[in-house]
Amino acid sequence: MKLRKDAIWFDDKIRDIQSQFSDYLEAKTQLKPREETLKIIALYVFIGGLWILLSDMVLSFLVRDPDMLIQLGTYKGWFYVALTGLIFYFIIYEKINLFKKAVDKIFEGFEDLSAAHEELLAMDEELIHQFDEIEKHRNALMISDQRYELAVEGANDGIWDWDLESDNYFFSLKGKGSFGYDDTEIPNRHDSWKQLLHPEDREKAVKLIESYLASQSGIYESTYRLKCKDGGYRWILSRGKGIWDKEGHPVRVAGSHTDITEYMELQERLYQEKELYQNIIHGAAVFILGVDTEGRIFEFNPFAEKLTGYTKNEVLGTKWFDMFIPQENRKQTDEIIQAILRGETIQNQENQVVTREGRRVDILWNNSVFRDSKGTILGIIAMGTDITERKAMESKLMSLAYYDGLTNLPNRQMFEKILKKQILQAKTNEKKLALLYLDLDNFKKINDTLGHHYGDKLLQGIADGLRATMKEGMNISRLSGDEFAVILPNVMDAKTFHSEVIAIMEAINKSWVIEGNELYITSSVGIAIYPDDGQDVQALLKNADTAMYAAKENEKNSFAFYTPEMHEKSLNFFNMEMDLRNALMNKEFILYYQPLINLSTGKIIGVEALIRWLHPERGMVPPNDFIPFAEESGAIIHIGEWVIQEACRQLKNWYNMELPQIYISVNLSARQIRQQDLIEKIIHITEEMGVDGRNLLFEITENVALHDLRQSIHTLNMLRSMNMRVALDDFGTGYSSLNYLKKLPIDMIKIDRSFVRDITEHLDERFIAKTIIDLAHNMDVIVTAEGIETETQYKILQEYGCDFGQGYLFSKPVPAEEIEKLLLRDKKIDN
Ligand code: C2E
Ligand code: MG
Ligand code: MG
């Protein structure tokens, strides 16, 4: 601005000086020294000439007097001098005056000039300074121009310039990059720009520039797409500034074009990603939760809202813990969160969440940390699945798998887990624990005789009773049918938990009334102590079981502590089972025979074949010591078959010896009754041996018969159809019901020796024996009394009309030769 003022002032000054000088120049043109001098001289010569010619003439004409003429000639000379002097005075004065004026003007001009010179000097300095400035600016501008050019080029940006007066619209981008237009292809007109606009953006973009131009101020900014040569479009950010004339008409707008296609695409991708992420969050049927490092909620999706009953707005910014985690789980959950924030991966983590109504839902979480672009952890994004139903199902399955359905007590698997845990605890605390193995005495009989339904009720009652005796830390499980186990932790010695054992046994050992039936039940308990009797679950269980068997054997309704001797005994049993497999092959079995006496005649009417095992090391093993194992292992089938064969062989032998005709009775075990080909085998043997079926009697115990009544009836009927006879052994020991007795096709009952034993002392037993005999006779069934040891017993039974008898009074079970002697004796008596 200043520069411009200076220039104007300088112009004026020059013009001023020029106008002054024109005066001098004019004066200079007037000042022609030679000509002026010649003019003056010529004038002088002319006037002088004229004067000389005319004055003398006039004077001579006028004055004729010579003197006068001479006089007047002198006067005329002086007049001439005066006149010419006057003329010259004016001429010279004028010229000198003009010269003076010129000199004055020159002087004035000089003064002005020197003032102007001063000014000019100052201005020159100023100009130099300004020139420097301009130069600097120019350089800066050049650099910035270059910079701009580089920036614009490098950034694939451009400039645009619209001269509205000429409608010249130029934009540099059109030839560049993706636009790729030739110079001439797109006319530099504003319309061309409009044509290149994307149809969707055109209206808006045109309106925007128009409204900017109308606004007459500010910065123009607009975003739109422009068409490229290849038909594609690129996003442009256009910015610019306008110039308006005095009337407010826009004259020119120019600015920059920035290609923001990549940015817009990125923005679009970001938008789409955001949309996608929002859709997932909104639509996902999982609990999506975002918490910052302080545990404050920043994301809470609709599923979470639905599940918890809280809205997102309600929970945003609140602490996740305070709002949703049950008090007792907060510490643990906090530890997990801290671990995740430290960068540890913790997946499939379960916890409970409390809903608005206070309901607890189980959630399975998958967590991931949420970071900013620098990798700083901002929080946690957790996705949770509602596993409440699954958990319920699991616990149901768990209870099915680990709890007994009937009594709801832990089952064997669960018990083993519990015991394992308790052992570990005892080990850590250096404490002892007691394992009680409980077995109900004769429960099988209850089940067999009164039915499973009845047995189940009893078991439930017992389980409830046992549960009631449990003190803190104690644990009770049902191991199998009638077996229970109790764990007593922290025991010092046997005395300290004696009362607990008694309480437990008393909970069982009492009379039970179930569905109107009263019965008395007892139990046997085996006790093993950790660590004395075993270090692990299996050893403890095995030893408590062994102790339980010992208790049972000893006397039912008792308890026994495990001792190493028991182990030895059970080891013996184990070995026996092994030996049993080879006994038949090694011909270690023999049959003893015990005579059956006709109580009225005193004669042998038959013998009962009773097996003996001549063990190479143990000596003679009684059947009660190995039959149960043989039964369990299945060896009884082959052993039983051998017994039948051997008995028949013996019978045939006696025939051949022409001894008195007797029958042989053979005991059948439960397995044999169920044996499919038993009858076939018997037919085969009898035919092979040539034995008359009439001389064979088969004994089955009451319990065996009742255990599988239908099968028993079938087998017994088959035997009887072959004229063989059938006896019900050990009658009175089971829960025999007369109803069953009626159904069974039997020829004989054998009163158990427990009745016979007490018959002499107890009136009750005597009465029972009498009743049984009468009942049997009423049903046409022969009665044999077992275990007659005394004459008195014999007498009483004889008196009651008991048909046959068997017992040490007559003979113990003896080898066949002994029987032969007895038979021979009878034969002699007969003869
Ligand atoms: P059981 O069939 O009731 O046999 C009678 C048992 O009573 C025999 O015992 C016999 O020795 C015993 N006994 C007989 N009279 C008296 C007496 O006056 N006083 C005493 N205290 N006992 C007497 P054993 O031979 O030890 O047989 C026991 C059980 O073993 C038998 O009872 C029978 O159930 C079973 N048994 C024996 N041999 C066989 C066999 O070959 N097969 C099957 N399945 N079981 C058999
Ligand atoms: Mg018998
Ligand atoms: Mg018997």
Side-chain angles (χ1 to χ4, degrees):
M1 212 48 203
K2 187 171 182 299
L3 202 69
R4 194 170 163 74
K5 261 188 186 168
D6 287 348
I8 292 167
W9 177 89
F10 186 71
D11 267 0
D12 289 350
K13 212 71 191 168
I14 294 288
R15 228 173 273 132
D16 211 17
I17 291 170
Q18 267 177 356
S19 82
Q20 283 180 13
F21 268 84
S22 69
D23 288 353
Y24 305 139
L25 285 174
E26 213 178 272
K28 188 190 153 214
T29 50
Q30 286 172 17
L31 270 179
K32 293 174 184 156
R34 197 183 296 257
E35 279 173 36
E36 285 297 321
T37 311
L38 281 177
K39 242 195 234 169
I40 294 166
I41 297 296
L43 188 66
Y44 176 73
V45 172
F46 178 66
I47 294 169
L50 264 182
W51 186 261
I52 293 169
L53 288 176
L54 288 175
S55 60
D56 283 336
M57 214 163 50
V58 168
L59 213 49
S60 51
F61 184 69
L62 290 170
V63 176
R64 300 282 172 187
D65 183 2
D67 286 339
M68 205 41 173
L69 262 175
I70 294 166
Q71 185 94 28
L72 279 174
T74 308
Y75 286 136
K76 187 188 72 129
W78 286 104
F79 177 71
Y80 178 74
V81 170
L83 184 76
T84 52
L86 197 68
I87 289 167
F88 279 116
Y89 171 78
F90 279 110
I91 290 170
I92 289 167
Y93 177 78
E94 196 204 352
K95 295 294 169 188
I96 293 291
N97 205 25
L98 191 68
F99 182 73
K100 188 184 175 275
K101 261 187 198 170
V103 170
D104 279 353
K105 281 276 176 195
I106 285 167
F107 186 73
E108 252 174 59
F110 175 76
E111 279 209 324
D112 272 354
L113 269 176
S114 74
H117 178 71
E118 287 290 308
E119 290 267 353
L120 277 172
L121 277 178
M123 216 155 70
D124 182 47
E125 227 165 89
E126 173 76 1
L127 277 173
I128 289 169
H129 175 70
Q130 284 182 359
F131 178 77
D132 282 349
E133 283 291 303
I134 287 167
E135 191 68 6
K136 249 193 249 169
H137 277 119
R138 205 171 68 90
N139 284 342
L141 204 66
M142 226 163 76
I143 290 168
S144 110
D145 241 21
Q146 276 173 352
R147 240 185 237 150
Y148 184 69
E149 217 164 278
L150 285 173
V152 160
E153 288 291 327
N156 208 15
D157 290 347
I159 48 164
W160 62 281
D161 187 352
W162 181 22
D163 185 339
L164 280 97
E165 277 166 356
S166 63
D167 191 33
N168 189 353
Y169 184 93
F170 164 78
F171 74 102
S172 65
L173 265 186
K174 67 180 176 183
K176 282 169 75 177
S178 313
F179 285 97
Y181 292 110
D182 298 336
D183 265 356
T184 51
E185 212 166 341
I186 307 282
N188 283 348
R189 294 231 317 281
H190 192 241
D191 254 357
S192 315
W193 171 75
K194 281 190 200 169
Q195 287 312 310
L196 291 180
L197 279 169
H198 192 286
E200 285 172 18
D201 305 338
R202 192 171 293 140
E203 199 186 328
K204 191 180 142 216
V206 170
K207 264 192 189 154
L208 203 69
I209 184 93
E210 279 172 358
S211 66
Y212 172 70
L213 294 177
S215 76
Q216 300 184 23
S217 64
I219 301 285
Y220 159 77
E221 190 172 310
S222 176
T223 312
Y224 46 75
R225 280 163 287 178
L226 284 183
K227 195 173 190 169
C228 307
K229 192 173 180 178
D230 63 5
Y233 284 89
R234 295 199 68 82
W235 277 100
I236 301 294
L237 166 68
S238 176
R239 308 178 104 232
K241 199 160 162 40
I243 300 170
W244 291 264
D245 63 14
K246 280 179 195 146
E247 283 80 44
H249 299 302
V251 179
R252 194 176 162 190
V253 214
S256 63
H257 272 158
T258 311
D259 187 333
I260 53 164
T261 312
E262 268 82 42
Y263 166 76
M264 289 300 271
E265 279 170 2
L266 186 72
Q267 210 175 37
E268 179 61 24
R269 273 206 301 280
L270 280 175
Y271 175 81
Q272 286 175 8
E273 264 171 37
K274 201 176 162 203
E275 270 291 298
L276 183 73
Y277 145 85
Q278 287 295 343
N279 280 338
I280 292 172
I281 287 192
H282 275 76
V286 287
F287 193 130
I288 299 179
L289 170 80
V291 288
D292 63 16
T293 48
E294 308 257 283
R296 289 181 202 284
I297 300 170
F298 66 79
E299 184 61 73
F300 198 75
N301 74 336
F303 187 84
E305 289 183 330
K306 208 172 111 193
L307 198 74
T308 59
Y310 291 101
T311 64
K312 186 175 179 176
N313 285 341
E314 282 174 302
V315 301
L316 280 187
T318 60
K319 286 228 171 182
W320 166 241
F321 275 10
D322 305 345
M323 201 77 181
F324 294 102
I325 303 297
Q327 191 77 41
E328 69 272 18
N329 298 345
R330 286 187 191 167
K331 193 168 167 275
Q332 184 206 358
T333 314
D334 185 41
E335 278 166 12
I336 292 168
I337 289 188
Q338 293 313 321
I340 297 167
L341 288 176
R342 279 197 303 275
E344 285 176 34
T345 329
I346 298 180
Q347 299 293 36
N348 294 325
Q349 163 245 334
E350 285 178 23
N351 72 7
Q352 284 196 322
V353 165
V354 184
T355 69
R356 183 171 223 140
E357 305 103 61
R359 195 166 58 90
R360 287 184 179 205
V361 278
D362 290 287
I363 308 280
L364 176 75
W365 295 103
N366 274 301
N367 309 298
S368 49
V369 283
F370 176 58
R371 297 172 197 264
D372 65 9
S373 55
K374 288 179 213 81
T376 318
I377 293 175
L378 300 177
I380 299 170
I381 291 288
M383 278 186 259
T385 322
D386 179 5
I387 53 162
T388 316
E389 272 180 35
R390 199 185 86 191
K391 285 288 259 191
M393 187 70 95
E394 266 173 19
S395 82
K396 208 169 164 189
L397 283 175
M398 159 104 174
S399 87
L400 280 178
Y402 291 109
Y403 288 84
D404 162 48
L406 182 70
T407 60
N408 240 352
L409 289 176
N411 64 10
R412 195 179 194 103
Q413 277 90 332
M414 187 66 187
F415 161 77
E416 286 183 8
K417 276 178 192 272
I418 298 169
L419 183 59
K420 199 171 173 183
K421 212 166 133 193
Q422 297 264 26
I423 288 175
L424 261 173
Q425 262 175 23
K427 193 174 184 175
T428 333
N429 304 336
E430 294 185 359
K431 288 271 164 64
K432 293 186 174 196
L433 70 80
L435 171 63
L436 275 55
Y437 203 114
L438 276 85
D439 187 278
L440 305 182
D441 299 327
N442 301 322
F443 177 74
K444 203 167 168 299
K445 285 182 188 164
I446 298 172
N447 240 355
D448 290 344
T449 50
L450 299 169
H452 285 275
H453 165 69
Y454 195 92
D456 286 354
K457 286 259 153 139
L458 181 66
L459 284 172
Q460 282 171 336
I462 288 172
D464 289 343
L466 286 173
R467 229 186 248 118
T469 64
M470 291 297 108
K471 291 185 187 155
E472 212 197 315
M474 286 164 67
N475 192 284
I476 174 150
S477 309
R478 182 179 173 211
L479 300 187
S480 67
D482 61 347
E483 289 175 334
F484 296 87
V486 176
I487 304 168
L488 305 180
N490 303 334
V491 297
M492 301 300 284
D493 55 68
K495 278 182 212 141
T496 56
F497 64 93
H498 183 263
S499 60
E500 273 92 5
V501 177
I502 298 299
I504 287 165
M505 288 184 75
E506 278 176 357
I508 302 171
N509 308 357
K510 58 179 190 177
S511 70
W512 293 84
V513 181
I514 288 161
E515 291 178 352
N517 290 311
E518 188 179 359
L519 82 155
Y520 194 83
I521 191 139
T522 58
S523 62
S524 301
V525 179
I527 303 165
I529 308 282
Y530 168 86
D532 313 354
D533 303 331
Q535 310 271 335
D536 58 31
V537 171
Q538 293 316 324
L540 276 179
L541 252 181
K542 195 172 113 293
N543 292 341
D545 187 34
T546 306
M548 187 274 291
Y549 271 107
K552 226 176 241 277
E553 221 171 72
N554 190 24
E555 184 190 357
K556 289 183 176 173
N557 192 12
S558 66
F559 66 87
F561 280 88
Y562 172 78
T563 60
E565 296 80 63
M566 287 177 189
H567 174 69
E568 209 167 298
K569 203 171 170 193
S570 69
L571 204 70
N572 283 342
F573 276 126
F574 176 74
N575 289 337
M576 191 191 298
E577 209 179 319
M578 300 282 286
D579 294 350
L580 211 52
R581 293 168 201 222
N582 304 319
L584 253 186
M585 227 164 51
N586 298 344
K587 298 199 163 80
E588 289 168 8
F589 294 116
I590 55 158
L591 286 186
Y592 271 34
Y593 300 92
Q594 188 177 33
L596 274 94
I597 309 294
N598 184 331
L599 291 184
S600 38
T601 62
K603 281 190 180 170
I604 299 172
I605 47 108
V607 286
E608 180 175 1
L610 293 161
I611 193 166
R612 297 292 180 263
W613 181 12
L614 289 171
H615 194 278
E617 287 149 30
R618 286 175 225 247
M620 175 100 74
V621 185
N624 283 337
D625 286 1
F626 69 86
I627 294 284
F629 293 96
E631 177 84 30
E632 212 167 288
S633 65
I636 194 74
I637 299 288
H638 300 290
I639 297 172
E641 214 175 295
W642 175 83
V643 172
I644 300 168
Q645 207 164 18
E646 177 61 15
C648 288
R649 194 194 57 76
Q650 189 57 58
L651 198 61
K652 183 72 184 168
N653 215 9
W654 287 332
Y655 284 165
N656 297 343
M657 289 165 78
E658 295 183 353
L659 291 168
Q661 286 262 327
I662 52 161
Y663 68 83
I664 283 194
S665 94
V666 172
N667 293 285
L668 289 180
S669 77
R671 275 224 192 207
Q672 282 175 290
I673 293 293
R674 293 199 300 271
Q675 190 186 336
Q676 292 298 317
D677 57 353
L678 176 73
I679 302 297
E680 262 174 62
K681 286 264 159 70
I682 293 173
I683 294 171
H684 178 74
I685 293 168
T686 49
E687 280 178 359
E688 194 183 48
M689 297 287 168
V691 168
D692 190 345
R694 260 176 255 270
N695 294 322
L696 282 176
L697 188 144
F698 289 96
E699 297 184 12
I700 62 164
T701 65
E702 203 179 25
N703 290 330
V704 168
L706 295 181
H707 184 73
D708 195 346
L709 196 64
R710 288 179 72 191
Q711 179 66 47
S712 304
I713 293 172
H714 173 74
T715 310
L716 300 185
N717 275 331
M718 293 297 286
L719 291 170
R720 289 180 92 202
S721 70
M722 294 186 293
N723 297 319
M724 295 165 191
R725 269 169 290 178
V726 181
L728 202 57
D729 205 358
D730 301 347
F731 188 79
T733 52
Y735 286 82
S736 2
S737 145
L738 290 172
N739 286 336
Y740 293 129
L741 197 60
K742 266 194 253 167
K743 285 182 193 167
L744 281 169
I746 49 166
D747 304 283
M748 179 195 282
I749 56 168
K750 296 180 80 173
I751 301 177
D752 192 71
R753 68 168 191 273
S754 54
F755 292 96
V756 177
R757 189 177 56 212
D758 300 332
I759 210 166
T760 44
E761 283 112 51
H762 296 109
L763 277 174
D764 282 358
E765 252 70 20
R766 210 183 285 185
F767 178 73
I768 291 170
K770 172 85 175 102
T771 315
I772 294 171
I773 294 164
D774 290 348
L775 264 169
H777 284 164
N778 283 340
M779 291 191 294
D780 258 347
V781 168
I782 299 166
V783 183
T784 300
E786 287 184 316
I788 303 172
E789 292 182 356
T790 64
E791 285 288 344
T792 331
Q793 288 164 345
Y794 177 27
K795 285 271 153 54
I796 293 168
L797 287 162
Q798 206 179 25
E799 201 178 297
Y800 287 165
C802 182
D803 305 292
F804 304 143
Q806 186 180 352
Y808 293 173
L809 180 67
F810 311 109
S811 167
K812 285 194 169 187
V814 289
E817 306 86 67
E818 297 293 320
I819 295 295
E820 282 157 27
K821 284 179 196 160
L822 292 173
L823 286 176
L824 276 173
R825 191 192 62 194
D826 278 0
K827 196 177 172 184
K828 272 180 199 156
I829 294 168
D830 282 347
N831 293 336

